[in-house]
């Protein structure tokens, strides 16, 4: 027998029954797809705070327990024992790769990391100083014209090929967007370098040079830099039905090209309530300027008449702590020790966290540091320029978007995303 929920319209006493569907983890859902048909009314849920928009088997979040799993594996385990590429393989294939599978996957990505030469023309149309997110979103949309056959993918090998291509090219696209934004010549990917090291190389290298710049003026990229960035990619890899992923699924529902859907996801991510928060966090820490001024800004964040918000605090789903922020806090402490950093920004960030975690305003609203609070601090320690923070989020999240796109396409009976409205006009 099916579990149901009965709803009564208190105006006329009529009752309506809806099926309850259980999840394998987390809250059940009430299937209201027949709501309009039965009642002649729509449901209203501003910001989708109580709405499950799809079925999914990819990522699970328990916001109360502060739990995040990709394909059933906890984020703490993935971040400590596995690389970003292993995580990508897991998301795409529902299993971690063995050694041979990983080697093959890694090579397949290396071989797809080049961009078509014509794309350089597109980057060159942007003014110097253009934000890399603008160029990244445009160039990703433009990729759809180079791989037009992906519009009609119908089999597993087609999906896998399309996914590898976009994952492999995203670091190159992001690095090109950055190089153009500062008026520097493009650096092609180096097939001998790993995924994450290659991205740092493309951002920092001199044309033709064997030597490139690590942090603190070093000639080589340090292993700890690569490990830190790889962890950041892993922590960003997927996050259930967030705003940008919902955008990607929405575009997928219209039948548009997968790379255009990813481009729409990139645009959605740019906003400071979403992925743009990591850049805003650092701008805010710089504006605060010193540990002594933290109290003043905490007071502003609490003032209902002031629009100021603490960037990197709060989350729609996590109401206990963001497990990704915990991992990054530990990573920050490691970097501080190993790279001998004495960062004023780190000290301000730590002070804000300390005060906010013991302040009733933040406790009662369940506002904790989120992933963006610490990713910005760590990327600053890695001497990554601020405009590249959100493109780095994009590189990490591309696997999530494309896996969600594939899941959407493979599910039978998915409809075009077409919500209705509560009309209040004339
Ligand atoms: N600083 C001060 N007050 C806050 C903050 C903050 N960062 N975030 C929420 N509040 C208050 C808000 O004013 C409201 O108070 P009241 O009940 O008195 O009106 C209450 O907390 C609930 O806020 P909300 O805006 O209704 O919550 P939401 O779930 O709609 O928004 C959020 C979640 C992440 C957009 C929001 O917390 C925020 O704007 N945070 C700062 C931006 C940020 O860090 N974004 C990154 C999110 S994590 C990564 C990602 O998703 O990309």
């Amino acid at each position: 027998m099916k579990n149901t929920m009965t709803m009564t319209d208190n105006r006329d006493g009529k009752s309506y029954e809806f099926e309850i569907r259980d999840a394998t983890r987390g809250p059940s859902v009430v299937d209201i797809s027949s709501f309009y048909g039965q009642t002649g009314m729509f449901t209203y849920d501003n910001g989708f705070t109580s709405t499950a928009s799809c079925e999914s088997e990819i990522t699970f979040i328990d916001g109360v327990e502060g739990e995040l799993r990709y394909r059933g594996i906890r984020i703490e385990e993935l971040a400590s024992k596995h690389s970003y590429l292993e995580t990508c393989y897991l998301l795409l294939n529902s299993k971690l790769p063995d050694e041979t599978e990983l080697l093959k996957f890694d090579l397949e990505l290396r071989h797809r990391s080049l961009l078509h030469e014509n794309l350089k023309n597109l980057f060159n149309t942007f003014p110097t100083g253009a934000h890399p997110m603008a160029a990244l979103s445009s160039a990703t949309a433009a990729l759809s014209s180079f791989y037009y056959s992906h519009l009609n993918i119908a089999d597993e090998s087609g999906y896998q090929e399309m996914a590898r291509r976009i994952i492999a090219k995203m670091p190159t696209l992001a690095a090109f967007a950055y190089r153009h934004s500062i008026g520097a010549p493009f650096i092609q990917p180096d097939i001998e370098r790993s995924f994450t090291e290659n991205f740092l190389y493309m951002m920092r290298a001199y044309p033709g040079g064997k030597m490139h710049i690590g942090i603190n003026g070093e000639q080589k990229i340090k292993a700890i830099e690569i490990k830190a960035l790889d962890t950041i990619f892993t922590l960003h890899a997927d996050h259930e039905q967030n705003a940008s992923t919902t955008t990607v699924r929405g575009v997928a529902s219209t039948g548009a090209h997968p790379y255009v859907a990813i481009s729409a996801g990139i645009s959605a991510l740019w906003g400071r309530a979403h992925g743009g928060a990591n850049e805003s966090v650092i701008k805010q820490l710089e504006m605060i300027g010193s540990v002594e001024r933290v109290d003043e800004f905490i007071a502003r964040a609490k003032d209902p008449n002031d629009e100021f918000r603490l960037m990197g605090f709060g989350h729609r789903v996590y109401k206990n702590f963001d497990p990704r922020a915990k991992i990054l806090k530990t990573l920050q402490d490691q970097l501080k020790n190993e790279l001998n950093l004495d960062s004023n920004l780190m000290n301000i960030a730590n002070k804000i966290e300390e005060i906010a975690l013991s302040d009733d305003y933040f406790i009662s609203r369940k506002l904790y540091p989120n992933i963006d609070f610490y990713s910005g601090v760590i990327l600053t320690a890695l001497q990554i320029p601020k405009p590249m923070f959100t493109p780095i989020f994009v590189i990490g999240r591309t696997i999530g978007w494309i896996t969600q796109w594939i899941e959407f396409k493979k599910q039978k009976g998915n409809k075009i995303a077409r919500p209705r409205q509560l009309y209040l006009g004339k």
Side-chain angles (χ1 to χ4, degrees), residues 49 239 242-243 269 271-278 281 301-302 304 308-317 319 322 324 361-362 365 367 370-373 393 397:
T49 56
H239 213 230
N242 55 83
L269 189 81
R272 67 189 204 127
H274 194 6
N278 53 16
V281 166
K302 289 160 57 175
F308 179 86
R309 279 191 171 200
L310 273 189
M311 298 315 291
F313 262 77
H315 198 276
R316 170 62 64 78
V317 183
K319 298 300 174 194
D322 180 341
R324 304 165 302 172
Y361 173 92
F362 294 90
R365 288 169 181 76
L367 301 171
N370 58 49
I371 187 169
D372 293 317
F373 190 69
F393 194 151
R397 184 55 58 83

Side-chain angles (χ1 to χ4, degrees), residues 70 137 153 249 326 364:
Y70 300 156
S137 169
I153 299 171
R249 280 189 179 251
K326 263 196 173 177
S364 62

Side-chain angles (χ1 to χ4, degrees), residues 204-324:
R204 296 170 176 172
Y206 282 72
K210 292 269 173 263
M211 159 178 126
H212 48 274
I213 307 298
I215 52 176
N216 301 332
E218 306 238 358
Q219 294 184 3
K220 279 197 176 353
I221 300 171
K222 288 187 170 209
I224 189 163
E225 290 181 75
I226 300 169
K227 169 65 190 147
L229 191 57
D230 203 75
T231 304
I232 285 184
F233 287 153
T234 299
L235 298 181
H236 286 90
D238 195 42
H239 213 230
E240 205 225 55
Q241 305 312 318
N242 55 83
S244 56
T245 301
T246 300
T247 303
V248 169
R249 280 189 179 251
V251 178
S253 80
T254 70
H257 194 286
Y259 296 165
V260 177
I262 302 287
S263 163
I266 294 172
S267 299
L269 189 81
W270 195 0
R272 67 189 204 127
H274 194 6
N278 53 16
E279 189 178 338
S280 304
V281 166
I282 293 302
K283 286 185 179 159
Q284 196 169 83
L285 294 177
E286 286 172 350
M287 180 180 78
I288 296 172
S290 71
V291 172
E292 289 70 40
R293 293 191 70 201
V294 167
D295 284 333
E296 177 193 329
F297 285 92
I298 295 270
R300 282 190 62 188
K302 289 160 57 175
D303 181 352
N305 300 317
D306 191 332
E307 290 197 345
F308 179 86
R309 279 191 171 200
L310 273 189
M311 298 315 291
F313 262 77
H315 198 276
R316 170 62 64 78
V317 183
Y318 294 119
K319 298 300 174 194
N320 181 336
F321 62 89
D322 180 341
R324 304 165 302 172

Side-chain angles (χ1 to χ4, degrees), residues 115-168:
L115 300 181
H116 193 289
E117 283 292 293
N118 288 0
L119 264 176
K120 282 186 185 166
N121 299 332
L122 184 131
F123 284 105
N124 285 328
T125 57
F126 287 88
T128 307
H131 198 289
M133 283 295 282
L136 189 52
S137 169
S138 308
T140 304
L143 268 191
S144 61
S145 64
F146 293 88
Y147 304 102
Y148 196 67
S149 64
H150 286 165
L151 189 56
N152 298 312
I153 299 171
D155 59 25
E156 186 59 30
S157 70
Y159 287 129
Q160 293 286 339
E161 165 74 19
M162 177 272 297
R164 279 160 178 66
R165 200 163 259 153
I166 192 73
I167 301 162

